[in-house]
Amino acid sequence: MRINGRNRLACKSLVKDLDISKPITVEAIKGLPLEKDLVVDMDPFFAAYRSVLPFLIPAGHEPSKDRLQSAEERARFDDTTKCILCACCTTSCPVYWTDDQYFGPAAIVAANRFIFDSRDAGSEQRLEILNAKEGVWRCRTTFNCTDACPRGIEVTKAIQEVKRALIFRRV
Amino acid sequence: MQTHSFDVVIVGAGGAGMRAALESSTRAHTAVLTKLYPTRSHTGAAQGGMCAALANVEEDNWEWHTFDTVKGGDYLVDQDAAEIMCKEAIDAVLDLEKMGLPFNRTPEGRIDQRRFGGHTRNHGEAAVRRACYAADRTGHMILQTLYQNCIKQDVEFYNEFYVLDLLMTDVDGEQVTSGVVAYELATGEIHLFRAKSVIFATGGFGKVWKTTSNAHTLTGDGMGIVYRKGIPLEDMEFYQFHPTGLAGLGVLLTEGARGEGGILRNASGERFMERYAPTIKDLAPRDMVSRSMVLEVREGRGAGPNKDYVYLDLTHLPKEQIEAKLPDITEFSRTYLGVDPVTELVPVFPTAHYAMGGIPTNVQTQVLRDNEHVIPGLYAAGECACVSVHGSNRLGTNSLLDINVFGRRAGIAAAEYANTVNHVELPEDSQGYTITLVEQLRSSTGSERVAVLRREMQETMDMNAQVYRTEATLKQALDDVQELKRRYKNVSIQDKGVRYNTDLLEAIELGFLLDLAELVVIGALERKESRGGHAREDYPTRDDVNFMRHTMAYRRTDEGGREYVELDYKPVVITRYQPMERKY
């Protein structure tokens, strides 16, 4: 929810860390249809998430045991695995507020998590999806998403990595 | 009212529900109903790991894992079920890896493993590295991975549909599953779901206690529903108190912190677990560690201004290790207590965490209506179920294992059964009970308030039915809970609307919580011994002669229409391990 104008998780926001000499304002997150009180319709948010193929598209034959992945390869996409789909980033994005066709930061974070996973073979498909008019190029790097993320994910950086992969066609 | 028809309906979209859905949806027409969004399910809060004897970093095998599980459960474990779980654990982990779960890796690129409480090499010699993990957000990664694969498979979800009743139809004198009734939170509308099979995967009921690691949503709905239908609940007196909750708050700090080398210390800095479990010390099972912590505090060795907690010490571990392997709990400690685990001792105390008991099932996850007979078409898996792999005390990581192994089994069994039968007719007035339940609460003008009753329940349970129990404290808890149940009949809500009525939701949840609190206390009163998570100060030893048996609690109504609880017992399945004294 929005607490004093900033997207945060209520469960992680302590009253003692806010200025209690003034009233604390709590509001519903912006950019999604308001249903009641603080409840918004999350369906558009999850629809964007689903559209970036947010699942492993494995490369090659299925191994009999675990696929090997080096610690460095695993570290490559660690940051974006932290996402809890809380929508703090997407609903803090001014582009998303004015253009609900835009995928929004959270969906791009989900795409990033698989694009840079060494076990995945679906990068081309995802990059093509995000290369569309309402894809990563709508991002204006205002960094609201990074500021809002309660999991400390470098969201803007994750989006920039996808843009870079599109420019150089290299993951 | 709307009516839907499916082969399989799964109630709950946490780890067990979604793991079941992945199997069921490829075999039969399946719907998943959840009162939340799937990604908000409590599986996501699990931290430390999921054990499987992969032997990626040191020698291990599933038989050792089985032994540890049986011993950890203080021999109340059904050993056939534990053996299945530990054997299938290996494929369960590999399946998750294939689905994309980002496990931490060894230098060779294999799935990394770390130590966890009660998991040992060769029947107790020393702690073994068995827990596969993804930093300290393993449950989060399992939940995400399962949800992602549900999207991949186009599983049909009904989000924010709160199931309130199970439908069973009398077929030739036998009760057969015919569907569920759900309340749609967005609209207040009642939905009938016809189904050939129903799987309950609704999780636990930690909100019975005040100090708990559980989210607000863990209100035992699934257990409460089946109990009201006359189906017994098993071993409800066995509830796990996790040793390391943030003191005063109950927020969970993973046992993985001790797996990484963390140490518990009392006020004088002594590593007190050396006295209680000389071999594996801080990595003793949770029931033992929790009791040891309570004793330290009682005997005046607690820390802090009120001497009411102990410390978790990570300060000797390298900063890089803490931040790489335990990032989330480090942040919890900083956020909620303002304590930095890298340089400071973290105040901790036991927190209500996990239900060992629940809806009784056999190893095929079929729900039992008594000690022997199943209800055709009804299944349960995960924390809401009691297959009994955890016995009287669950080992750390075995819950994530349980949901994957038995969730998968439930999905296969429910779909295969559904494919062999036709829908049975729904019972008469299928929705009547649910409509009455909702309308009575909505129209009540009673003077009692949900929040007040809930707080009083939680306070008496924390005070009287926590780590240590006595006849006197349990009787007090029983009096209090039964009085609260009487007052609950006079509860009213302020929001009379139909859209997103969370006031109504909480009132219904409280009804389930009160039913379950009563069962915990009655089971605990009657179990005059100490075993695993159930510690009676007035009966401090395990009594295998009289109590090596599962409790089965039934809801009965007497001739005057009054409800009461009837206890029966079920034998424990013992295969290869005879009960021994439990030492670590």
Side-chain angles (χ1 to χ4, degrees), chain B residues 537-556:
Chain B
E537 288 179 84
D538 39 0
Y539 300 94
T541 55
R542 196 175 80 197
D543 176 0
D544 288 341
V545 176
N546 295 302
F547 290 104
M548 182 61 140
R549 55 186 193 177
H550 299 291
T551 306
M552 300 284 271
Y554 293 82
R555 178 177 182 265
R556 302 283 193 221

Side-chain angles (χ1 to χ4, degrees), chain A residues 11-12 14 35-36 49 54 56 63 65-69 74 78 81 83-84 113-114 119 151, chain B residues 40 97-98 100-103 105 109-111 137 140-141 148 152 328 331 335-336 495 499-500:
Chain A
C11 59
K12 277 186 69 178
L14 307 190
E35 296 283 325
K36 179 187 172 186
Y49 174 73
L56 190 78
K65 288 199 79 185
D66 44 329
R67 281 186 207 80
L68 296 183
Q69 181 171 59
R74 168 65 180 78
D78 186 66
T81 66
C83 176
I84 57 170
R113 178 252 172 274
F114 290 101
R119 302 169 297 172
R151 302 284 293 137
Chain B
R40 296 274 86 81
E97 197 284 326
K98 287 168 192 166
L101 197 141
F103 285 107
R105 298 286 172 162
R110 314 296 303 275
I111 294 169
R137 54 175 184 278
H140 162 76
M141 291 321 323
Q148 289 156 359
K152 190 176 185 178
D328 284 1
E331 195 196 334
T335 302
Y336 297 110
D495 184 346
R499 290 171 55 70
Y500 291 105

